[in-house]
Amino acid sequence: MLAGLIFIFIGLAIKMALVPFHGWVPDAYADAPDAISPLLASLVTKTTLYAVIRITFWVLGAGVVIDRIPLLLLLGWAGILTTLVGAFLAL
């Protein structure tokens, strides 16, 4: 079950554009039509975070996620790292 959750998380991390998996984002924003870019920027990457949390709580349960696996803390640190790397690359 843990291997399955890791593969699910890696697949959704690609969609969330976390740091090691963020290579598709610049091409998608540059090639997207003007009407789609705001939706792509606001919905796709954020709803995937919701999917990760919902899948993890549904599969493992709230007690396991909060007590044994600090998933929200790990996602928070991954988000901070992604923000810092993205800002550095933008400069």
Side-chain angles (χ1 to χ4, degrees):
M1 186 166 66
L2 183 61
L5 284 173
I6 289 172
F7 285 129
I8 288 172
F9 179 72
I10 288 172
L12 292 173
I14 292 170
K15 201 69 169 158
M16 266 191 290
L18 289 178
V19 164
F21 311 110
H22 68 285
W24 66 272
V25 176
D27 295 331
Y29 287 165
D31 295 338
D34 292 337
I36 302 298
S37 293
L39 292 173
L40 185 66
S42 63
L43 292 178
V44 173
T45 57
K46 281 45 164 205
T47 55
T48 310
L49 175 63
Y50 174 73
V52 166
I53 293 171
R54 183 151 173 127
I55 288 170
T56 307
F57 274 79
W58 184 63
V59 171
L60 294 177
V64 173
V65 173
I66 293 171
D67 295 335
R68 293 187 216 159
I69 304 170
L71 177 70
L72 299 177
L73 182 65
L74 292 174
L75 286 174
W77 281 108
I80 290 170
L81 180 66
T82 301
T83 303
L84 292 175
V85 169
F88 178 73
L89 292 175
L91 289 175

